[in-house]
Amino acid sequence: MEENAPAAPPTEQLSEEVAKLLAGHITIQGAEFAYPVVIQPGALTNVLPDFVRARGFKRCAVISNTTVGPLYGESLVAQLPGAFLITVPDGEQHKTLDTVRTIYDQMFAAGADRATLVIGLGGGVIGDMAGFVAATFMRGVAYIQAPTSLLAMVDASLGGKVGVDMPQGKNLVGAFKDPLAVIEDTATLKTLPEVEFQCGMAEAIKHGFLADATLLDHLRKHGPEPIDDVLRQAVLVKKHVVEQDRLESGMRAYLNLGHTFGHAIEQASGYSYKHGQGVAIGMAAAVHLAARRGLCDPGLVEDVEVTLIEAGLPVRYADLNPGDLWEAMGTDKKWRDGQARFVLIKAVGEPVIVSDVTRDEVIAVLEEVRE
Ligand SMILES: NC(=O)c1ccc[n+]([C@@H]2O[C@H](COP(=O)([O-])OP(=O)(O)OC[C@H]3O[C@@H](n4cnc5c(N)ncnc54)[C@H](O)[C@@H]3O)[C@@H](O)[C@H]2O)c1
Ligand SMILES: [Zn+2]
């Protein structure tokens, strides 16, 4: 095969029928990339197979895990041309180069080549890892994200960041790989464990405080129902950010609201706090810090905490020591030149980055959000 043969035919070849299926979708568009994000119950059946056929793929590797594969993988494979299922163990601890290697092996064994389409079917762990495989297998093949967790639908599947964890830290090896499409079948959320749904809501709420007061209003009045509408609003926030700053040189950093504190809580607890729970407590901490510095109205603290609590999320941590959390923050890759950088909010839609925060201030805030 020619070294630089395109991995997929261009979008103009989409049939009218598929164009109709995609009607109303969101497009994520930058200078060098554009892909649809379809948010629809039943999209794995109603949209994905036709989309794949219209793009002319004849071979598809569906990468999933031992939880999601049996639920949705087998029926998806049955609807796709030349498809085979690769199932890896479930869990963040398997988001490694070792697992990636077993995926390459299975791709070769199944006769995959540069024209093979990779589909990541699962939560953010699968999306990141399948995307990394797509970015590297034979120097890169086409990729579709089919996220099935709320967190992956709101956040992980959008923006092109893919990768794996290393013993030295999370997400330390990876690539930017834009998908051909992100197909979010919201019917799959029915089987998602409640705590995972809550974790996804933490990121959706984060998007609300960063940029969308109407999303917060909706959550106050109706909770996360209908989820398709909530998701659409939250996805639009991430769309605007990644379109303007794909490589995280500037405003994409705002998406780290709550994450500096959150990662420390996750890490220091030995990951007994899930990511979304860490982010929720981290957002509470961030707004406490903003209030302490006089950057925001004290009412915002309550606003953030009530919104999180109503979504079933924690805003206080237990059984961890503030000093240990401070230490854990030092290993976060979001610290530049040893400077602590925190994303804070002054008001809904007004994030700000501060980098002159002292240890004493951080400890004081960590005392405030301790149970
Ligand atoms: N690339 C990015 O920009 C980005 C952004 C945020 C997070 N992430 C990554 O995403 C990962 C976290 O994603 P996550 O929260 O989805 O975790 P996850 O992938 O581990 O999924 C959580 C659990 O839910 C299960 N699950 C998923 N969908 C299901 C369904 N429909 N029914 C039943 N069970 C289902 C999974 O098998 C898993 O057990 C982390 O590795 C994080 O680094 C990446
Ligand atoms: Zn996050």
Side-chain angles (χ1 to χ4, degrees):
M1 186 183 293
E2 224 181 279
E3 184 67 14
N4 292 314
T11 333
E12 299 83 74
Q13 288 175 20
L14 282 182
S15 68
E16 242 175 68
E17 209 178 320
V18 174
K20 219 189 285 167
L21 284 170
L22 295 181
H25 70 268
I26 294 166
T27 301
I28 298 200
Q29 178 135 32
E32 287 149 21
F33 59 96
Y35 49 91
V37 181
V38 178
I39 300 169
Q40 206 183 97
L44 282 180
T45 305
N46 302 333
V47 178
L48 184 53
D50 284 349
F51 182 84
V52 168
R53 281 204 175 76
R55 298 295 297 255
F57 291 103
K58 298 191 172 56
R59 199 123 185 81
C60 310
V62 176
I63 301 175
S64 194
N65 69 23
T66 45
T67 305
V68 178
L71 287 168
Y72 308 108
E74 277 140 29
S75 62
L76 178 61
V77 160
Q79 301 173 71
L80 294 171
F84 55 95
L85 184 62
I86 296 177
T87 308
V88 301
D90 190 3
E92 180 80 35
Q93 71 274 27
H94 298 292
K95 196 174 115 180
T96 62
L97 288 174
D98 285 342
T99 308
V100 164
R101 191 192 167 110
T102 67
I103 298 173
Y104 294 146
D105 284 341
Q106 292 180 72
M107 305 256 302
F108 286 120
D113 61 19
R114 288 202 63 216
T116 300
L117 168 71
V118 168
I119 299 174
L121 175 72
V125 167
I126 286 295
D128 279 10
M129 198 157 42
F132 185 73
V133 166
T136 50
F137 184 76
M138 296 193 164
R139 294 199 195 87
V141 296
Y143 181 46
I144 289 181
Q145 290 262 20
T148 62
S149 74
L150 185 59
L151 188 139
M153 291 180 185
V154 168
D155 193 359
S157 65
L158 312 165
K161 284 206 251 171
V162 298
V164 294
D165 300 333
M166 295 292 290
Q168 291 83 354
K170 277 188 68 176
N171 299 322
L172 290 183
V173 168
F176 282 96
K177 172 75 182 173
D178 291 307
L180 286 184
V182 182
I183 307 290
E184 310 200 341
D185 183 342
T186 45
T188 63
L189 294 173
K190 288 202 182 79
T191 54
L192 187 70
E194 194 182 357
V195 64
E196 298 295 347
F197 186 88
Q198 292 163 349
C199 286
M201 283 308 297
E203 304 282 3
I205 290 168
K206 178 192 79 180
H207 290 179
F209 279 100
L210 283 175
D212 190 345
T214 60
L215 170 56
L216 297 174
D217 259 2
H218 178 106
L219 291 175
R220 251 173 241 128
K221 289 192 191 119
H222 311 287
E225 299 293 336
I227 189 62
D228 290 52
D229 292 352
V230 169
L231 197 46
R232 183 172 296 274
Q233 294 282 103
V235 164
L236 284 172
V237 173
K238 180 130 184 192
K239 163 189 155 79
H240 290 306
V241 174
V242 300
E243 282 181 349
Q244 287 168 55
D245 181 21
R246 178 169 177 266
L247 300 177
E248 200 169 335
S249 47
M251 76 182 280
R252 191 162 175 172
Y254 290 146
L255 295 171
N256 293 325
L257 174 64
H259 281 61
T260 306
F261 287 108
H263 280 150
I265 290 166
E266 274 183 90
Q267 204 184 317
S269 74
Y271 297 94
S272 66
Y273 281 99
K274 290 181 173 289
H275 179 71
Q277 295 170 326
V279 169
I281 302 166
M283 273 192 276
V287 77
H288 275 262
L289 179 53
R292 247 177 188 276
R293 295 197 141 210
L295 287 172
C296 74
D297 185 288
L300 190 63
V301 177
E302 195 188 337
D303 199 6
V304 168
E305 293 194 345
V306 167
T307 309
L308 292 166
I309 290 166
E310 278 177 1
L313 287 155
V315 293
R316 298 285 179 272
Y317 65 89
D319 302 327
L320 295 171
N321 174 294
D324 292 345
L325 290 172
W326 167 259
E327 288 301 316
M329 280 180 203
T331 60
D332 195 301
K333 70 178 178 332
K334 286 167 188 87
W335 287 42
R336 290 208 181 130
D337 314 321
Q339 271 283 29
R341 297 170 82 239
F342 290 89
V343 181
L344 306 181
I345 41 172
K346 294 176 161 178
V348 175
E350 275 185 63
V352 52
I353 293 180
V354 295
S355 55
D356 60 344
V357 183
T358 64
R359 179 181 190 275
D360 286 353
E361 272 179 291
V362 170
I363 298 282
V365 164
L366 286 169
E367 291 291 355
E368 285 171 0
V369 296
R370 192 179 191 171
E371 203 167 273

